mmCIF file of all heavy atoms in Angstrom:
data_model
loop_
_atom_site.group_PDB
_atom_site.id
_atom_site.type_symbol
_atom_site.label_atom_id
_atom_site.label_comp_id
_atom_site.label_asym_id
_atom_site.label_seq_id
_atom_site.Cartn_x
_atom_site.Cartn_y
_atom_site.Cartn_z
ATOM 1 N N ASP X 1 115.647 71.308 95.607
ATOM 2 C CA ASP X 1 116.332 72.441 96.225
ATOM 3 C C ASP X 1 115.392 73.199 97.159
ATOM 4 O O ASP X 1 114.193 73.316 96.886
ATOM 5 C CB ASP X 1 116.840 73.375 95.117
ATOM 6 C CG ASP X 1 117.386 74.675 95.660
ATOM 7 O OD1 ASP X 1 118.417 74.629 96.355
ATOM 8 O OD2 ASP X 1 116.778 75.735 95.391
ATOM 9 N N PHE X 2 115.962 73.721 98.250
ATOM 10 C CA PHE X 2 115.183 74.514 99.206
ATOM 11 C C PHE X 2 115.926 75.801 99.536
ATOM 12 O O PHE X 2 117.129 75.782 99.805
ATOM 13 C CB PHE X 2 114.964 73.735 100.514
ATOM 14 C CG PHE X 2 114.179 72.469 100.351
ATOM 15 C CD1 PHE X 2 114.835 71.269 100.094
ATOM 16 C CD2 PHE X 2 112.801 72.474 100.444
ATOM 17 C CE1 PHE X 2 114.125 70.098 99.940
ATOM 18 C CE2 PHE X 2 112.074 71.303 100.293
ATOM 19 C CZ PHE X 2 112.738 70.111 100.036
ATOM 20 N N ASP X 3 115.189 76.907 99.507
ATOM 21 C CA ASP X 3 115.635 78.157 100.110
ATOM 22 C C ASP X 3 114.745 78.338 101.332
ATOM 23 O O ASP X 3 113.515 78.427 101.204
ATOM 24 C CB ASP X 3 115.465 79.317 99.127
ATOM 25 C CG ASP X 3 115.999 80.632 99.671
ATOM 26 O OD1 ASP X 3 115.923 80.844 100.898
ATOM 27 O OD2 ASP X 3 116.456 81.466 98.876
ATOM 28 N N LEU X 4 115.328 78.385 102.523
ATOM 29 C CA LEU X 4 114.523 78.361 103.743
ATOM 30 C C LEU X 4 113.634 79.580 103.895
ATOM 31 O O LEU X 4 112.683 79.555 104.681
ATOM 32 C CB LEU X 4 115.431 78.194 104.964
ATOM 33 C CG LEU X 4 116.227 76.886 105.007
ATOM 34 C CD1 LEU X 4 116.948 76.758 106.354
ATOM 35 C CD2 LEU X 4 115.347 75.665 104.759
ATOM 36 N N ASP X 5 113.900 80.661 103.135
ATOM 37 C CA ASP X 5 112.997 81.813 103.231
ATOM 38 C C ASP X 5 111.616 81.501 102.665
ATOM 39 O O ASP X 5 110.668 82.256 102.869
ATOM 40 C CB ASP X 5 113.600 83.058 102.578
ATOM 41 C CG ASP X 5 113.689 82.988 101.056
ATOM 42 O OD1 ASP X 5 113.068 82.111 100.435
ATOM 43 O OD2 ASP X 5 114.399 83.841 100.477
ATOM 44 N N CYS X 6 111.495 80.367 101.974
ATOM 45 C CA CYS X 6 110.184 79.940 101.474
ATOM 46 C C CYS X 6 109.209 79.721 102.625
ATOM 47 O O CYS X 6 107.991 79.822 102.447
ATOM 48 C CB CYS X 6 110.340 78.649 100.676
ATOM 49 S SG CYS X 6 108.857 78.122 99.788
ATOM 50 N N PHE X 7 109.758 79.453 103.817
ATOM 51 C CA PHE X 7 108.935 79.124 104.973
ATOM 52 C C PHE X 7 109.083 80.189 106.059
ATOM 53 O O PHE X 7 109.130 79.886 107.257
ATOM 54 C CB PHE X 7 109.314 77.743 105.496
ATOM 55 C CG PHE X 7 109.392 76.710 104.412
ATOM 56 C CD1 PHE X 7 110.614 76.174 104.019
ATOM 57 C CD2 PHE X 7 108.248 76.306 103.739
ATOM 58 C CE1 PHE X 7 110.689 75.234 102.999
ATOM 59 C CE2 PHE X 7 108.312 75.372 102.712
ATOM 60 C CZ PHE X 7 109.539 74.835 102.340
ATOM 61 N N SER X 8 109.157 81.463 105.626
ATOM 62 C CA SER X 8 109.222 82.593 106.551
ATOM 63 C C SER X 8 108.146 83.603 106.184
ATOM 64 O O SER X 8 107.621 83.601 105.074
ATOM 65 C CB SER X 8 110.604 83.255 106.498
ATOM 66 O OG SER X 8 110.803 83.911 105.250
ATOM 67 N N ILE X 9 107.822 84.471 107.132
ATOM 68 C CA ILE X 9 106.820 85.518 106.919
ATOM 69 C C ILE X 9 107.341 86.816 107.526
ATOM 70 O O ILE X 9 108.292 86.827 108.312
ATOM 71 C CB ILE X 9 105.466 85.161 107.573
ATOM 72 C CG1 ILE X 9 105.649 84.910 109.081
ATOM 73 C CG2 ILE X 9 104.829 83.963 106.891
ATOM 74 C CD1 ILE X 9 104.353 84.693 109.837
ATOM 75 N N LYS X 10 106.698 87.923 107.168
ATOM 76 C CA LYS X 10 107.051 89.201 107.758
ATOM 77 C C LYS X 10 106.690 89.193 109.240
ATOM 78 O O LYS X 10 105.636 88.709 109.634
ATOM 79 C CB LYS X 10 106.320 90.345 107.052
ATOM 80 C CG LYS X 10 106.829 90.613 105.647
ATOM 81 C CD LYS X 10 106.101 91.798 105.026
ATOM 82 C CE LYS X 10 106.627 92.076 103.617
ATOM 83 N NZ LYS X 10 105.912 93.232 103.000
ATOM 84 N N GLY X 11 107.581 89.759 110.055
ATOM 85 C CA GLY X 11 107.345 89.834 111.484
ATOM 86 C C GLY X 11 106.299 90.877 111.833
ATOM 87 O O GLY X 11 105.855 91.643 110.975
ATOM 88 N N PRO X 12 105.893 90.950 113.083
ATOM 89 C CA PRO X 12 104.831 91.873 113.505
ATOM 90 C C PRO X 12 105.137 93.341 113.216
ATOM 91 O O PRO X 12 104.234 94.122 112.951
ATOM 92 C CB PRO X 12 104.736 91.617 115.023
ATOM 93 C CG PRO X 12 105.275 90.242 115.208
ATOM 94 C CD PRO X 12 106.347 90.080 114.181
ATOM 95 N N ASP X 13 106.429 93.723 113.267
ATOM 96 C CA ASP X 13 106.753 95.128 113.025
ATOM 97 C C ASP X 13 106.999 95.408 111.548
ATOM 98 O O ASP X 13 107.360 96.519 111.170
ATOM 99 C CB ASP X 13 107.972 95.553 113.847
ATOM 100 C CG ASP X 13 109.183 94.675 113.574
ATOM 101 O OD1 ASP X 13 109.081 93.787 112.701
ATOM 102 O OD2 ASP X 13 110.223 94.881 114.225
ATOM 103 N N ASP X 14 106.837 94.396 110.700
ATOM 104 C CA ASP X 14 106.929 94.525 109.245
ATOM 105 C C ASP X 14 108.332 94.937 108.786
ATOM 106 O O ASP X 14 108.503 95.387 107.660
ATOM 107 C CB ASP X 14 105.898 95.532 108.725
ATOM 108 C CG ASP X 14 105.506 95.246 107.272
ATOM 109 O OD1 ASP X 14 105.509 94.067 106.894
ATOM 110 O OD2 ASP X 14 105.214 96.198 106.534
ATOM 111 N N CYS X 15 109.336 94.800 109.666
ATOM 112 C CA CYS X 15 110.686 95.184 109.248
ATOM 113 C C CYS X 15 111.655 94.007 109.315
ATOM 114 O O CYS X 15 112.841 94.179 109.054
ATOM 115 C CB CYS X 15 111.198 96.333 110.111
ATOM 116 S SG CYS X 15 111.511 95.872 111.823
ATOM 117 N N CYS X 16 111.161 92.845 109.680
ATOM 118 C CA CYS X 16 112.018 91.669 109.705
ATOM 119 C C CYS X 16 111.163 90.467 109.327
ATOM 120 O O CYS X 16 109.952 90.564 109.189
ATOM 121 C CB CYS X 16 112.654 91.465 111.079
ATOM 122 S SG CYS X 16 111.457 91.067 112.374
ATOM 123 N N ARG X 17 111.812 89.312 109.177
ATOM 124 C CA ARG X 17 111.087 88.093 108.858
ATOM 125 C C ARG X 17 111.260 87.112 110.005
ATOM 126 O O ARG X 17 112.265 87.137 110.727
ATOM 127 C CB ARG X 17 111.588 87.488 107.544
ATOM 128 C CG ARG X 17 111.418 88.413 106.354
ATOM 129 C CD ARG X 17 111.584 87.653 105.050
ATOM 130 N NE ARG X 17 110.504 86.713 104.815
ATOM 131 C CZ ARG X 17 109.315 87.039 104.301
ATOM 132 N NH1 ARG X 17 109.051 88.294 103.988
ATOM 133 N NH2 ARG X 17 108.391 86.123 104.094
ATOM 134 N N ILE X 18 110.290 86.236 110.158
ATOM 135 C CA ILE X 18 110.358 85.203 111.184
ATOM 136 C C ILE X 18 109.959 83.868 110.564
ATOM 137 O O ILE X 18 109.286 83.810 109.538
ATOM 138 C CB ILE X 18 109.433 85.509 112.382
ATOM 139 C CG1 ILE X 18 107.976 85.645 111.911
ATOM 140 C CG2 ILE X 18 109.888 86.772 113.105
ATOM 141 C CD1 ILE X 18 106.991 85.845 113.053
ATOM 142 N N ALA X 19 110.409 82.788 111.197
ATOM 143 C CA ALA X 19 110.097 81.442 110.722
ATOM 144 C C ALA X 19 108.621 81.127 110.904
ATOM 145 O O ALA X 19 107.977 81.593 111.848
ATOM 146 C CB ALA X 19 110.941 80.419 111.470
ATOM 147 N N TRP X 20 108.084 80.327 109.984
ATOM 148 C CA TRP X 20 106.765 79.770 110.250
ATOM 149 C C TRP X 20 106.846 78.978 111.561
ATOM 150 O O TRP X 20 107.813 78.237 111.781
ATOM 151 C CB TRP X 20 106.364 78.791 109.147
ATOM 152 C CG TRP X 20 106.014 79.409 107.820
ATOM 153 C CD1 TRP X 20 106.097 80.717 107.469
ATOM 154 C CD2 TRP X 20 105.539 78.708 106.680
ATOM 155 N NE1 TRP X 20 105.703 80.887 106.175
ATOM 156 C CE2 TRP X 20 105.356 79.672 105.660
ATOM 157 C CE3 TRP X 20 105.256 77.382 106.397
ATOM 158 C CZ2 TRP X 20 104.895 79.330 104.388
ATOM 159 C CZ3 TRP X 20 104.806 77.028 105.136
ATOM 160 C CH2 TRP X 20 104.616 77.999 104.153
ATOM 161 N N PRO X 21 105.861 79.097 112.433
ATOM 162 C CA PRO X 21 105.866 78.259 113.637
ATOM 163 C C PRO X 21 105.946 76.786 113.241
ATOM 164 O O PRO X 21 105.210 76.335 112.353
ATOM 165 C CB PRO X 21 104.527 78.592 114.297
ATOM 166 C CG PRO X 21 104.211 79.974 113.810
ATOM 167 C CD PRO X 21 104.721 80.028 112.402
ATOM 168 N N PRO X 22 106.839 76.014 113.869
ATOM 169 C CA PRO X 22 107.027 74.618 113.459
ATOM 170 C C PRO X 22 105.745 73.796 113.431
ATOM 171 O O PRO X 22 105.524 73.011 112.502
ATOM 172 C CB PRO X 22 108.012 74.083 114.511
ATOM 173 C CG PRO X 22 108.785 75.284 114.928
ATOM 174 C CD PRO X 22 107.802 76.422 114.913
ATOM 175 N N GLU X 23 104.878 73.991 114.434
ATOM 176 C CA GLU X 23 103.666 73.173 114.476
ATOM 177 C C GLU X 23 102.744 73.483 113.294
ATOM 178 O O GLU X 23 102.049 72.599 112.777
ATOM 179 C CB GLU X 23 102.927 73.369 115.805
ATOM 180 C CG GLU X 23 102.446 74.787 116.082
ATOM 181 C CD GLU X 23 103.490 75.682 116.707
ATOM 182 O OE1 GLU X 23 104.681 75.286 116.720
ATOM 183 O OE2 GLU X 23 103.113 76.772 117.179
ATOM 184 N N ILE X 24 102.752 74.747 112.835
ATOM 185 C CA ILE X 24 101.926 75.116 111.688
ATOM 186 C C ILE X 24 102.515 74.553 110.401
ATOM 187 O O ILE X 24 101.804 74.002 109.551
ATOM 188 C CB ILE X 24 101.767 76.644 111.606
ATOM 189 C CG1 ILE X 24 100.927 77.145 112.783
ATOM 190 C CG2 ILE X 24 101.133 77.063 110.271
ATOM 191 C CD1 ILE X 24 100.764 78.654 112.829
ATOM 192 N N MET X 25 103.834 74.672 110.242
ATOM 193 C CA MET X 25 104.496 74.155 109.049
ATOM 194 C C MET X 25 104.313 72.647 108.933
ATOM 195 O O MET X 25 103.994 72.126 107.854
ATOM 196 C CB MET X 25 105.982 74.514 109.096
ATOM 197 C CG MET X 25 106.774 74.085 107.874
ATOM 198 S SD MET X 25 108.454 74.772 107.919
ATOM 199 C CE MET X 25 109.234 73.830 106.602
ATOM 200 N N ILE X 26 104.464 71.945 110.040
ATOM 201 C CA ILE X 26 104.287 70.489 110.027
ATOM 202 C C ILE X 26 102.845 70.128 109.706
ATOM 203 O O ILE X 26 102.574 69.202 108.928
ATOM 204 C CB ILE X 26 104.731 69.891 111.372
ATOM 205 C CG1 ILE X 26 106.256 70.013 111.519
ATOM 206 C CG2 ILE X 26 104.294 68.430 111.491
ATOM 207 C CD1 ILE X 26 106.764 69.691 112.894
ATOM 208 N N ASP X 27 101.892 70.859 110.289
ATOM 209 C CA ASP X 27 100.478 70.587 110.021
ATOM 210 C C ASP X 27 100.149 70.776 108.544
ATOM 211 O O ASP X 27 99.440 69.959 107.950
ATOM 212 C CB ASP X 27 99.593 71.497 110.868
ATOM 213 C CG ASP X 27 98.120 71.287 110.573
ATOM 214 O OD1 ASP X 27 97.593 70.210 110.923
ATOM 215 O OD2 ASP X 27 97.496 72.187 109.961
ATOM 216 N N LEU X 28 100.688 71.839 107.930
ATOM 217 C CA LEU X 28 100.421 72.101 106.515
ATOM 218 C C LEU X 28 100.975 70.980 105.636
ATOM 219 O O LEU X 28 100.324 70.537 104.688
ATOM 220 C CB LEU X 28 101.025 73.437 106.099
ATOM 221 C CG LEU X 28 100.301 74.687 106.600
ATOM 222 C CD1 LEU X 28 101.154 75.927 106.381
ATOM 223 C CD2 LEU X 28 98.953 74.848 105.905
ATOM 224 N N PHE X 29 102.168 70.493 105.960
ATOM 225 C CA PHE X 29 102.774 69.434 105.155
ATOM 226 C C PHE X 29 102.098 68.087 105.382
ATOM 227 O O PHE X 29 101.984 67.290 104.446
ATOM 228 C CB PHE X 29 104.268 69.329 105.471
ATOM 229 C CG PHE X 29 105.129 70.181 104.574
ATOM 230 C CD1 PHE X 29 105.473 71.472 104.951
ATOM 231 C CD2 PHE X 29 105.588 69.698 103.360
ATOM 232 C CE1 PHE X 29 106.264 72.258 104.133
ATOM 233 C CE2 PHE X 29 106.375 70.476 102.531
ATOM 234 C CZ PHE X 29 106.722 71.770 102.917
ATOM 235 N N GLU X 30 101.662 67.830 106.600
ATOM 236 C CA GLU X 30 101.111 66.505 106.897
ATOM 237 C C GLU X 30 99.609 66.408 106.656
ATOM 238 O O GLU X 30 99.055 65.311 106.649
ATOM 239 C CB GLU X 30 101.439 66.134 108.345
ATOM 240 C CG GLU X 30 102.937 65.952 108.574
ATOM 241 C CD GLU X 30 103.277 65.446 109.966
ATOM 242 O OE1 GLU X 30 102.351 65.407 110.809
ATOM 243 O OE2 GLU X 30 104.443 65.101 110.198
ATOM 244 N N ARG X 31 98.966 67.530 106.434
ATOM 245 C CA ARG X 31 97.523 67.523 106.181
ATOM 246 C C ARG X 31 97.237 66.872 104.831
ATOM 247 O O ARG X 31 97.820 67.225 103.807
ATOM 248 C CB ARG X 31 97.006 68.964 106.181
ATOM 249 C CG ARG X 31 95.494 69.092 106.066
ATOM 250 C CD ARG X 31 95.118 70.555 106.022
ATOM 251 N NE ARG X 31 95.596 71.293 107.193
ATOM 252 C CZ ARG X 31 95.624 72.621 107.277
ATOM 253 N NH1 ARG X 31 95.222 73.347 106.253
ATOM 254 N NH2 ARG X 31 96.072 73.205 108.377
ATOM 255 N N GLU X 32 96.335 65.909 104.802
ATOM 256 C CA GLU X 32 95.999 65.221 103.555
ATOM 257 C C GLU X 32 95.136 66.103 102.667
ATOM 258 O O GLU X 32 94.235 66.798 103.147
ATOM 259 C CB GLU X 32 95.263 63.912 103.839
ATOM 260 C CG GLU X 32 96.135 62.830 104.452
ATOM 261 C CD GLU X 32 95.387 61.514 104.579
ATOM 262 O OE1 GLU X 32 94.159 61.496 104.303
ATOM 263 O OE2 GLU X 32 96.026 60.516 104.948
ATOM 264 N N SER X 33 95.408 66.067 101.356
ATOM 265 C CA SER X 33 94.535 66.735 100.399
ATOM 266 C C SER X 33 93.305 65.869 100.171
ATOM 267 O O SER X 33 93.184 64.773 100.731
ATOM 268 C CB SER X 33 95.275 66.949 99.073
ATOM 269 O OG SER X 33 95.590 65.706 98.477
ATOM 270 N N ASP X 34 92.385 66.331 99.332
ATOM 271 C CA ASP X 34 91.146 65.581 99.108
ATOM 272 C C ASP X 34 91.394 64.230 98.450
ATOM 273 O O ASP X 34 90.544 63.348 98.491
ATOM 274 C CB ASP X 34 90.176 66.413 98.256
ATOM 275 C CG ASP X 34 90.750 66.745 96.900
ATOM 276 O OD1 ASP X 34 91.908 67.182 96.832
ATOM 277 O OD2 ASP X 34 90.039 66.577 95.897
ATOM 278 N N CYS X 35 92.578 64.044 97.855
ATOM 279 C CA CYS X 35 92.897 62.763 97.219
ATOM 280 C C CYS X 35 93.575 61.801 98.197
ATOM 281 O O CYS X 35 93.878 60.655 97.832
ATOM 282 C CB CYS X 35 93.790 62.983 96.003
ATOM 283 S SG CYS X 35 95.418 63.636 96.412
ATOM 284 N N GLY X 36 93.818 62.259 99.424
ATOM 285 C CA GLY X 36 94.435 61.408 100.431
ATOM 286 C C GLY X 36 95.946 61.494 100.486
ATOM 287 O O GLY X 36 96.579 60.795 101.288
ATOM 288 N N LEU X 37 96.540 62.347 99.650
ATOM 289 C CA LEU X 37 97.988 62.489 99.610
ATOM 290 C C LEU X 37 98.404 63.760 100.341
ATOM 291 O O LEU X 37 97.873 64.840 100.076
ATOM 292 C CB LEU X 37 98.468 62.556 98.156
ATOM 293 C CG LEU X 37 99.985 62.571 97.944
ATOM 294 C CD1 LEU X 37 100.593 61.229 98.306
ATOM 295 C CD2 LEU X 37 100.309 62.929 96.496
ATOM 296 N N SER X 38 99.343 63.639 101.264
ATOM 297 C CA SER X 38 99.834 64.813 101.974
ATOM 298 C C SER X 38 101.043 65.403 101.251
ATOM 299 O O SER X 38 101.697 64.731 100.442
ATOM 300 C CB SER X 38 100.223 64.444 103.408
ATOM 301 O OG SER X 38 101.404 63.651 103.409
ATOM 302 N N SER X 39 101.362 66.644 101.576
ATOM 303 C CA SER X 39 102.538 67.281 100.997
ATOM 304 C C SER X 39 103.809 66.575 101.447
ATOM 305 O O SER X 39 104.778 66.479 100.684
ATOM 306 C CB SER X 39 102.586 68.752 101.399
ATOM 307 O OG SER X 39 101.474 69.456 100.880
ATOM 308 N N THR X 40 103.831 66.063 102.679
ATOM 309 C CA THR X 40 104.990 65.311 103.152
ATOM 310 C C THR X 40 105.213 64.072 102.311
ATOM 311 O O THR X 40 106.345 63.756 101.909
ATOM 312 C CB THR X 40 104.806 64.913 104.631
ATOM 313 O OG1 THR X 40 104.808 66.091 105.439
ATOM 314 C CG2 THR X 40 105.922 63.991 105.095
#
């Protein structure tokens, strides 16, 4: 199950939320851990 707010952060004015930038979210998921396994 996914709730998409899991991948959001507070916006610059601290009164709204914005999506994680796609390139950052993809990098975090595709980055290999020390065991060689990525989150993707």
